Amino acid sequence: MRWLVGWSSTAARALGAETAGATGYDGETLRPVGSHLLWGDPDPLWAVGDWRPDEVRVVHADAQNRIAVLGICGASDEELRRGLFTARGGALRHLTAWPGSYTAVVQAGRRITVCGDLAGARPVFHAPWEGGTAYATAALPLADLTEANLDFGHLAALLAAPEVPAALRDTTPYEGVRRVAPGHALVLRAGAREIAGYEPVASLAVAAPPADPDRAVDAVRDALVEAVRVRLAAPRHVPGLDPGPVPGMGPAERRAARGMPVPGIGADLSGGPASGTLALLAAGLPGRPGTLLGHGTGAGERLLAVTFNDLAVGGREAELERAGALAANPRLHHVVVTGAEDTLPYADLDGPLTDEPGPSLVTAARHRTRLAAGSADHFTGHGARQVLDAHPARLADLLLDRRRRHLVRPVAALARADGSVLVPARVYGAARRLSRTPYRTGLEALAERLMRRRFDEPKGAVGASLAALTWARPGPAARWLTGEALAEVSVLLQTGADRAAGGPGQRPGEFRARTVLARHAADLRVLEQAAEVRSQRLHAPFLDNQVVRACRDLPEALRVKPGARAAVLRTVLEGAGVTDLPPGWGTPSHASSAAAARTGLRLAADSLVDLFDTPLLADAGLVEARVVRKALREAAAGEPLPLDGLADLVSLELWLRRLLARRGTCWTGTPARARAVPAGIAPQRGALRAGARPS
């Protein structure tokens, strides 16, 4: 893991620029373990972890005015300096408008500004400490610093309503540690904190002027190309030297066995449109997109394209054929990684402790198998579906803007998939109800559903669309929570409804799309930590600020067309000079992922039942062990239960066990006991009520 951490104190200490940290136990200096000091007291900032030299930049205007940028940022030092001077006047949005994925921290006197991103892949956290405020880009260091206990209310909301901000609020799994919402910045003035939004808010009273589709797609192309180019322009990094030959293994096999990526740049090539677009863009841009000469294949111009072939579950033959056709490009070096039953979901549940829980913990070993054959810098297509596709609730946005004719094509596609002539009327009626439903009413309806345990939803593609045509909906794991847990989340929603009389300031479709994106970005962050390969960096350009902004400007009428994502990415490639795409490129495929999850659950059923023999989730009052064990057995037997809900339960149980099993802390100057959740989880009633107080 890599993060930055610092604090803003109420009183200035007259220490030198090269010293920082409070006084800890036994007179030791309190500072992060494995840290590199970026600037010192009175408001110090550290970079922690295996940051590359080019990923950490600090530009000074003078001793009291400076900016630090951590990550991949396309701004020059002069642009950073101009950004620093502009930020001193209070303008923040330009700090997030450079290409790349990064976190910017600005110090102007005693004022500290930390900018989060739009998607939520690079979050910012804060907690009160020593009369001031500590902040970080990871929650666990702040939990260690404050010896925070678990926030049971947040864990309950994470299972009951993971895509509802009114339930999650700004909390984290650690009590007292708060999260800055996507699109916002944390501003600290001598210890006092403020949360400021940096994105303009559109008016709900007047519809936005219709955007030109061609210009919007061109903007997406320019943003994607620039996002890829800024990563290609970064210095290349060679992982540790190969310690020597192993009988029967070639160089690539030795690297994979030792957890070492291939030098240079690579990309996923699943056969889908998102990963294929990034691979072809990276391979086609001028320069040296592939591996370094003298390393790996020796082909300095070729980009390493990795395809995962699941031998345990079929259904992806067409995608694999498309990936092979794309890999015929002479600028690509194609590697196929095969996986058997040992790479299925739930097959290998050992892994490192991540900052937060996430459903991807049950598939981390599967992804690690693919990434171990990848490059030191590896492109992934994560986030493309969330930023480009139309959430079903966007149909209500079209009705609000009086653009009914644009509903014809998506509704007709659903009718063809379902085969029923009643589909158009049902979908139009649901969209019309949502367009006329206030946000507060939507929250109250969800609170009532949780209290009455109403979780049954229509089946199939049409059923999923109808269920999504609402302001808020229960999470897939909500049906297995205890009555007390559901009641606590219901109270949170009622409180949120009382505070949200004016609504969230967005249309329902736009609002739901942003919450889904934030949920996906948070889980991708968990996946990066759980499946991390040493010396490797995963790049998700679709989650860059500028790409997210460009995608948000796409017209609703273009988004809701069937196959819109593939059409947009095809146009992006054509604009970049790539026109020879295989037949069927962009055809959606989700059946293989569901089949892999069901097969993995069936094979690992016994070990999962043992995991929930005495679960920590039951000690926390969130579930009853026998209920979860029964659900696992039924799902393994083929019952139509929501598999993603079981993944939420299993991953949260795994995360709790890893958290309580850890030793040590993120800080020096504290005894071993000074860490998050120092007392563990004690079985008790009313634990949720203590952790679910509205903020």
Side-chain angles (χ1 to χ4, degrees):
M1 290 175 58
R2 292 168 295 280
W3 63 84
L4 63 87
V5 61
W7 59 66
S8 176
S9 56
T10 55
R13 290 189 293 271
L15 297 180
E18 298 302 321
T19 63
T23 301
Y25 295 86
D26 300 327
E28 289 185 84
T29 300
L30 182 64
R31 59 189 307 154
V33 175
S35 62
H36 170 67
L37 183 65
L38 300 183
W39 60 63
D41 282 320
D43 304 313
L45 177 66
W46 293 273
V48 185
D50 60 335
W51 292 95
R52 294 172 175 175
D54 58 286
E55 291 177 331
V56 180
R57 287 195 290 164
V58 180
V59 174
H60 297 260
D62 51 53
Q64 296 298 319
N65 296 275
R66 45 204 169 187
I67 180 173
V69 175
L70 289 88
I72 301 294
C73 180
S76 64
D77 286 353
E78 184 57 33
E79 288 175 315
L80 292 180
R81 189 171 288 106
R82 289 199 300 268
L84 168 61
F85 289 133
T86 307
R88 290 171 58 184
L92 301 179
R93 189 175 187 272
H94 68 285
L95 297 176
T96 68
W98 296 308
S101 178
Y102 56 89
T103 301
V105 183
V106 173
Q107 183 185 48
R110 294 300 314 280
R111 187 179 68 191
I112 303 290
T113 303
V114 191
C115 294
D117 66 338
L118 287 175
R122 286 183 166 271
V124 178
F125 304 90
H126 61 92
W129 183 73
E130 294 291 327
T133 301
Y135 63 91
T137 54
L140 183 58
L142 299 183
D144 280 346
L145 183 66
T146 60
E147 295 189 81
N149 288 309
L150 288 171
D151 188 335
F152 297 104
H154 175 86
L155 298 180
L158 200 60
L159 294 173
E163 295 178 2
V164 183
L168 295 173
R169 301 161 293 155
D170 62 347
T171 57
T172 67
Y174 313 99
E175 196 171 25
V177 179
R178 303 289 178 172
R179 180 195 315 270
V180 177
H184 290 71
L186 174 67
V187 181
L188 304 173
R189 294 179 176 87
R193 62 183 175 273
E194 174 190 352
I195 307 299
Y198 54 76
E199 285 294 282
V201 179
S203 172
L204 289 178
V206 181
D212 180 57
D214 294 335
R215 290 187 178 181
V217 174
D218 288 345
V220 173
R221 180 200 62 207
D222 295 342
L224 264 181
V225 169
E226 194 61 30
V228 173
R229 181 180 284 119
V230 73
R231 289 165 169 86
L232 297 181
R236 304 296 168 81
H237 293 270
V238 180
L241 296 178
D242 192 338
V246 175
M249 285 189 178
E253 294 172 314
R254 291 200 304 268
R255 278 192 295 266
R258 290 165 173 162
M260 297 170 57
V262 177
I265 293 181
D268 286 339
L269 189 63
S270 66
S275 62
T277 297
L278 294 179
L280 293 174
L281 282 179
L285 289 177
R288 302 173 64 83
T291 57
L292 299 175
L293 285 173
H295 295 276
T297 63
E301 293 290 336
R302 296 203 291 173
L303 178 139
L304 180 67
V306 180
T307 299
F308 182 75
N309 183 12
D310 191 351
L311 301 180
V313 178
R316 296 189 60 243
E317 291 76 10
E319 283 195 3
L320 293 174
E321 289 182 8
R322 289 194 290 270
L326 291 172
N329 188 318
R331 282 182 170 269
L332 296 178
H333 172 62
H334 195 208
V335 173
V336 178
V337 178
T338 58
E341 291 183 353
D342 59 340
T343 61
L344 286 170
Y346 304 99
D348 182 5
L349 297 180
D350 292 332
L353 172 66
T354 56
D355 191 43
E356 296 181 278
S360 60
L361 289 180
V362 301
T363 59
R366 182 179 179 86
H367 290 282
R368 194 182 305 116
T369 300
R370 182 188 81 254
L371 296 174
S375 297
D377 289 277
H378 199 77
F379 286 95
T380 68
H382 287 287
R385 180 178 292 110
Q386 286 72 27
V387 298
L388 287 172
D389 284 9
H391 191 280
R394 287 189 183 271
L395 298 179
D397 294 359
L398 290 173
L399 291 180
L400 286 171
D401 293 339
R402 301 182 181 276
R403 299 174 184 174
R404 295 180 179 86
R405 63 186 179 88
H406 296 297
L407 272 68
V408 174
R409 294 184 65 176
V411 171
L414 286 173
R416 286 194 299 270
D418 188 78
S420 172
V421 295
L422 301 178
V423 168
R426 295 170 62 196
V427 173
Y428 180 82
R432 189 168 179 267
R433 283 193 300 273
L434 176 58
S435 66
R436 298 184 175 190
T437 301
Y439 177 63
R440 176 174 181 172
T441 304
L443 292 183
E444 291 173 343
L446 176 58
E448 184 180 1
R449 285 189 66 181
L450 295 179
M451 285 294 292
R452 297 181 180 274
R453 304 187 70 92
R454 300 204 317 264
F455 305 118
D456 293 333
E457 294 179 345
K459 307 297 182 183
V462 175
S465 297
L466 291 174
L469 281 165
T470 178
W471 279 106
R473 59 184 295 192
R479 66 188 64 216
W480 295 299
L481 295 187
T482 62
E484 180 188 5
L486 292 175
E488 293 292 343
V489 178
S490 179
V491 170
L492 287 176
L493 291 170
Q494 291 283 5
T495 304
D498 293 339
R499 297 181 176 183
Q506 301 168 47
R507 288 170 167 77
E510 180 185 0
F511 175 75
R512 288 298 307 278
R514 295 194 182 202
T515 59
V516 170
L517 174 60
R519 168 74 165 161
H520 175 79
D523 191 46
L524 176 61
R525 179 170 172 263
V526 172
L527 176 63
E528 286 181 327
Q529 298 167 9
E532 185 176 19
V533 176
R534 189 178 63 176
S535 301
Q536 186 180 68
R537 294 291 187 272
L538 295 186
H539 301 285
F542 284 102
L543 298 180
D544 287 5
N545 283 342
Q546 289 300 82
V547 177
V548 171
R549 286 190 178 105
C551 292
R552 286 180 177 175
D553 289 338
L554 290 172
E556 298 284 355
L558 174 63
R559 267 184 206 277
V560 299
K561 293 180 180 178
R565 172 163 38 108
V568 169
L569 294 180
R570 184 185 293 272
T571 306
V572 167
L573 289 175
E574 289 174 353
V578 180
T579 57
D580 188 16
L581 297 175
W585 185 84
T587 303
S589 174
H590 309 292
S592 60
S593 299
R598 187 168 295 279
T599 303
L601 182 62
R602 176 173 54 82
L603 295 176
D606 292 339
S607 61
L608 294 177
V609 169
D610 293 341
L611 180 69
F612 282 89
D613 185 26
T614 55
L616 296 175
L617 288 175
D619 292 343
L622 298 176
V623 301
E624 292 184 18
R626 61 175 181 82
V627 173
V628 180
R629 291 196 297 266
K630 179 183 178 183
L632 289 170
R633 294 191 185 100
E634 290 177 346
E639 292 291 328
L641 296 176
L643 299 182
D644 45 356
L646 292 174
D648 289 343
L649 289 174
V650 173
S651 60
L652 183 52
E653 177 67 22
L654 288 173
W655 182 81
L656 288 174
R657 293 188 178 218
R658 293 173 188 175
L659 177 66
L660 297 186
R662 71 188 287 250
R663 295 293 182 267
T665 176
C666 295
W667 298 84
T668 63
T670 64
R673 68 178 183 276
R675 61 179 185 271
V677 199
I681 299 177
Q684 56 183 334
R685 300 292 295 176
L688 294 174
R689 189 169 295 107
R693 290 186 296 269
S695 59

